[in-house]
C-alpha cells in the first residue's frame, strides 16, 4: 500500500511540474538585451526558466548561435534536465532542426512562445481563431522546408511531418487559412453591426491601450467597476471588453484591448487586426504607461505603443496618457520623471489605478476630448408633463441650471446629441422650445 501511495504522489508531482526551459539570445555588438522580457514571456507561458545563454556575434546559419555555444547549450540541457530551448531570435527551420538534433529537445523562438501564451489565454471563439490564423501564417512560409527536414530524420518539433508531401502540406495549410479568414470575416461584420448600434445610441468610445502589463485591466476596473481578469503576467487580456464609464460629467463606452509588445510579430498584428480596429476607430485613446520602470524602459515601451498605434491607423486619434503605478515611486523620482515624460506624451496624468489616485483628473482630461455632447437651453410651459419631462432630462443629461418660474420651467443642460434631440421633440410637442448653446 505504501508503495502504491508513493507512486501516486510521485506521479502527481511529475504531473504538476512545470516544463523546464533554457532561454537563449544572440545579439550584435551594441544591441540591447531582451533576455529579461523573454524570461517574463516564458514564465507567462508556464515554463520554469532554469538557465540562460547569450552570445554577441553575427548569426550562425546552422544554429543561430556559434557551434561552440550550441555544444555548451546541449550540455546545459542535459545537466539542467531542460524540456525546451527558447530563443529570443527568430529560428529558421533548419536551425530549429539542427538544435533539436544536437540538444535532444525542441527549440522554439520568441514568436512561437508568444503564440503559446495567446493560445492559453484565448477564451472566445474569435480570439482562438485569430491565434490559429497567426500560427498557420507562420507555418505556411516554413511548411515545405520543415517537411523536407522531417524526411531526413524526425526531431522534437518536427514529429509527424515526415508522412506529408511538401506540396500537399503547404496546400492544406492554405485551405485552413482561407477557412479561418471566412469565419473571422463573419465575426468582423457582426462587430461592425455592434459598432453601428453604439453609434446610434450616441455614446463616444474610449479605448484603453498600452504595453502589456502596464495596468490597463486594473484601470478598466477602477473606471467601470466591472471585473476583468487582472494578473502580473504578460498578455492577460486578449479579447475586447466594453462597458459604460463615467468621465467627469460625461459618459462613454470604455474598451479594454490586447496589450502591445516590442517587435510584435506581423502575423499577430494581422490576425488581431479586427480586434485592434476598436482602437483605431475610437474617439479617444487612453494610453496607459507603467511609469515605475526605469525611464529607458518607459521610453522604449512608449515608442513601441506609438509605433503600433500608427501601424493600425490610430496615430491621429486624440490621446490622454495615464502615467500609472505612481504608488511605487518616491516623490522626488516621480517629480523628475513627470517633467521628463511630460515632453514626450499627450496630456499626461500621473495616476495609481490600483489605489484610485488622480482618477478624477484623468476623467476630466478624457471628458474634454469626448465628442457627441451638446449644450442646450430648454424652456417648458408649466404643466404636469413639463415636470415629468424635466425629471427625465435630469436622469439622462447633466443639468447645469434649473429654474422654475410661475409660467415655465427653464433648464440649461448638456447631453448626448440623441438625448437632447429626443428632449427637443418632446418639448416642442408641449409648446416649449430648445435652443442650442456654445459649449
Amino acid at each position: 500500500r505504501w508503495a502504491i501511495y508513493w507512486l501516486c504522489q510521485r506521479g502527481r508531482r511529475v504531473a504538476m511540474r512545470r516544463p523546464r526551459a533554457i532561454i537563449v539570445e544572440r545579439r550584435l555588438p551594441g544591441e540591447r538585451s531582451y533576455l529579461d522580457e523573454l524570461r517574463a514571456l516564458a514564465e507567462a507561458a508556464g515554463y520554469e526558466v532554469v538557465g540562460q545563454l547569450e552570445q554577441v556575434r553575427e548569426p550562425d546559419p546552422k544554429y543561430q548561435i556559434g557551434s561552440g555555444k550550441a555544444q555548451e547549450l546541449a550540455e546545459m540541457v542535459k545537466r539542467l534536465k531542460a524540456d525546451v530551448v527558447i530563443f529570443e531570435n527568430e529560428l529558421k527551420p533548419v536551425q530549429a532542426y539542427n538544435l533539436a538534433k544536437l540538444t535532444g529537445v525542441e527549440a522554439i523562438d520568441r514568436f512561437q512562445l508568444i503564440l503559446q501564451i495567446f493560445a492559453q489565454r484565448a477564451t472566445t471563439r474569435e480570439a482562438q481563431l485569430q491565434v490559429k490564423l497567426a500560427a498557420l501564417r507562420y507555418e505556411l512560409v516554413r511548411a515545405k522546408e520543415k517537411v523536407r527536414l522531417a524526411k531526413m530524420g524526425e526531431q522534437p518539433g518536427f514529429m509527424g511531418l515526415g508522412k506529408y508531401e511538401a506540396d500537399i502540406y503547404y496546400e492544406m495549410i492554405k485551405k485552413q487559412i482561407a477557412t479561418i479568414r471566412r469565419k473571422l470575416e463573419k465575426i468582423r461584420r457582426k462587430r461592425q453591426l455592434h459598432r453601428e448600434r453604439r453609434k446610434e445610441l450616441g455614446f463616444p468610445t474610449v479605448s484603453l491601450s498600452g504595453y502589456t502589463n502596464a495596468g490597463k485591466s486594473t484601470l478598466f476596473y477602477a473606471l467601470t467597476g466591472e471585473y476583468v481578469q487582472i494578473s502580473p503576467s504578460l498578455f492577460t487580456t486578449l479579447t475586447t471588453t466594453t462597458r459604460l464609464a463615467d468621465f467627469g460629467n460625461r459618459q462613454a463606452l470604455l474598451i479594454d484591448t490586447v496589450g502591445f509588445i516590442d517587435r510584435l510579430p506581423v502575423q499577430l498584428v494581422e490576425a488581431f487586426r479586427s480586434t485592434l480596429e476598436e482602437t483605431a476607430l475610437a474617439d479617444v485613446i487612453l494610453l496607459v504607461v507603467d511609469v515605475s520602470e526605469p525611464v529607458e524602459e518607459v521610453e522604449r515601451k512608449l515608442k513601441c505603443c506609438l509605433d503600433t498605434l500608427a501601424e493600425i491607423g490610430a496615430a491621429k486619434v486624440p490621446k490622454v496618457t495615464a502615467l500609472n503605478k505612481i504608488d511605487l515611486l518616491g516623490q522626488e523620482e516621480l517629480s523628475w520623471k513627470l517633467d521628463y515624460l511630460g515632453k514626450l506624451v499627450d496630456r499626461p496624468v500621473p495616476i495609481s489605478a490600483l489605489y484610485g489616485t488622480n482618477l478624477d483628473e484623468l476623467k476630466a482630461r478624457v471628458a474634454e476630448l469626448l465628442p457627441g455632447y451638446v449644450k442646450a437651453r430648454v424652456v417648458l410651459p408649466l404643466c404636469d408633463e413639463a415636470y415629468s419631462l424635466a425629471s427625465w432630462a435630469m436622469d439622462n443629461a447633466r443639468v447645469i441650471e434649473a429654474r422654475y418660474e410661475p409660467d415655465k420651467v427653464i433648464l440649461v443642460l448638456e447631453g448626448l446629441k440623441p438625448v437632447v434631440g429626443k428632449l427637443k421633440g418632446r418639448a416642442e410637442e408641449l409648446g416649449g422650445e430648445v435652443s442650442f448653446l456654445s459649449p
Side-chain angles (χ1 to χ4, degrees):
R1 284 184 301 175
W2 282 108
I4 293 173
Y5 174 80
W6 180 82
L7 286 171
C8 289
Q9 291 298 104
R10 182 176 181 273
R12 187 176 296 138
R13 285 195 297 271
V14 169
M16 292 175 62
R17 181 176 74 84
R18 290 190 297 161
R20 298 160 69 87
I22 295 173
I23 56 176
V24 184
E25 178 186 57
R26 181 211 53 78
R27 61 183 184 273
L28 297 174
E31 282 188 339
R32 58 155 293 151
S33 173
Y34 289 94
L35 270 176
D36 287 344
E37 188 166 89
L38 185 65
R39 178 184 293 273
L41 286 168
E43 290 172 350
Y47 292 104
E48 177 188 0
V49 178
V50 295
Q52 67 178 53
L53 193 70
E54 52 189 318
Q55 186 176 37
V56 178
R57 58 157 289 163
E58 295 288 335
D60 180 81
K62 187 174 183 180
Y63 295 113
Q64 178 65 234
I65 52 177
S67 298
K69 277 290 181 183
Q71 190 60 50
E72 183 182 337
L73 176 61
E75 293 168 1
M76 283 182 68
V77 167
K78 186 176 180 180
R79 185 177 72 256
L80 298 175
K81 296 181 173 59
D83 302 298
V84 66
V85 172
I86 304 172
F87 270 71
E88 167 64 26
N89 317 88
E90 180 181 352
L91 291 176
K92 296 178 180 178
V94 68
Q95 293 170 333
Y97 180 87
N98 290 334
L99 286 162
K101 185 176 181 179
L102 180 66
T103 63
V105 298
E106 186 179 7
I108 65 174
D109 58 21
R110 180 176 178 272
F111 176 73
Q112 292 169 291
L113 178 63
I114 293 175
L115 267 184
Q116 288 183 13
I117 298 172
F118 275 43
Q120 292 168 9
R121 307 285 170 82
T123 56
T124 66
R125 179 64 175 156
E126 181 183 21
Q128 290 164 357
L129 287 171
Q130 288 169 325
V131 172
K132 183 66 174 175
L133 177 60
L136 288 171
R137 284 168 57 88
Y138 178 85
E139 185 73 6
L140 184 65
V141 297
R142 294 162 173 77
K144 293 182 180 180
E145 179 69 3
K146 287 186 72 172
V147 169
R148 184 187 70 79
L149 291 166
K151 290 184 181 298
M152 295 169 54
E154 293 187 341
Q155 303 298 338
F158 290 75
M159 301 298 187
L161 292 178
K163 68 181 180 181
Y164 288 101
E165 292 301 322
D167 289 339
I168 293 175
Y169 185 57
Y170 181 83
E171 289 301 320
M172 183 183 73
I173 293 174
K174 284 181 67 176
K175 288 178 181 177
Q176 289 179 338
I177 288 174
T179 300
I180 290 175
R181 279 179 169 161
R182 285 195 297 271
K183 292 177 180 178
L184 284 172
E185 180 59 26
K186 289 181 181 178
I187 296 173
R188 192 194 69 80
R189 288 197 295 267
K190 186 177 180 181
R191 186 192 296 280
Q192 177 64 24
L193 289 174
H194 289 166
R195 196 179 292 127
E196 289 173 359
R197 175 59 179 156
R198 294 201 301 260
K199 189 174 181 180
E200 288 174 8
L201 293 173
F203 286 107
T205 55
V206 177
S207 176
L208 275 172
S209 297
Y211 208 83
T212 182
N213 205 30
K216 298 185 303 301
S217 295
T218 303
L219 182 56
F220 184 87
Y221 174 75
L223 293 174
T224 66
E226 182 78 17
Y227 178 77
V228 289
Q229 187 176 359
I230 298 170
S231 168
S233 297
L234 305 183
F235 295 118
T236 301
T237 302
L238 281 191
T239 54
T240 58
T241 304
T242 304
R243 294 293 183 272
L244 194 62
D246 288 311
F247 291 94
N249 296 313
R250 297 185 173 187
Q251 288 186 316
L253 292 168
L254 184 64
I255 305 171
D256 191 17
T257 60
V258 61
F260 303 142
I261 193 168
D262 206 0
R263 296 164 297 124
L264 186 67
V266 66
Q267 292 95 333
L268 280 173
V269 175
E270 286 297 324
F272 278 78
R273 187 165 293 278
S274 63
T275 301
L276 294 172
E277 275 182 359
E278 296 289 353
T279 298
L281 298 174
D283 295 297
V284 180
I285 291 176
L286 184 48
L287 182 60
V288 186
V289 177
D290 181 356
V291 76
S292 70
E293 296 185 298
V295 72
E296 298 82 9
E297 275 294 281
V298 177
E299 280 192 88
R300 177 180 72 85
K301 293 181 177 181
L302 179 61
K303 182 179 184 302
C304 164
C305 293
L306 296 176
D307 288 347
T308 306
L309 288 172
E311 186 177 350
I312 64 174
K316 295 183 179 180
V317 179
K319 300 174 188 65
V320 174
T321 309
L323 301 176
N324 192 27
K325 304 188 183 182
I326 62 172
D327 51 289
L328 300 178
L329 297 175
Q331 189 58 47
E332 184 177 342
E333 182 181 1
L334 175 60
S335 180
W336 75 259
K337 276 189 173 179
L338 293 181
D339 287 342
Y340 182 77
L341 295 173
K343 303 168 186 174
L344 305 178
V345 298
D346 295 330
R347 304 172 189 87
V349 181
I351 69 161
S352 169
L354 183 62
Y355 294 103
T357 309
N358 283 355
L359 291 190
D360 286 342
E361 181 182 349
L362 181 69
K363 292 176 182 179
R365 296 301 292 272
V366 172
E368 292 171 1
L369 299 174
L370 291 179
Y373 280 83
V374 293
K375 191 174 181 181
R377 182 175 184 269
V378 182
V379 180
L380 302 172
L382 201 59
C383 59
D384 291 341
E385 291 86 350
Y387 286 116
S388 176
L389 187 55
S391 177
W392 182 88
M394 290 177 182
D395 289 337
N396 292 276
R398 182 172 72 95
V399 176
I400 302 169
E401 179 185 350
R403 193 164 74 250
Y404 295 86
E405 297 186 357
D407 59 341
K408 58 188 173 183
V409 179
I410 301 174
L411 303 175
V412 177
L413 53 80
E414 182 185 61
L416 290 165
K417 287 180 182 177
V419 172
V420 177
K422 186 174 182 179
L423 178 62
K424 184 176 186 293
R426 292 180 63 184
E428 289 174 348
E429 288 175 3
L430 296 177
E433 60 181 39
V434 174
S435 56
F436 292 96
L437 308 174
S438 299

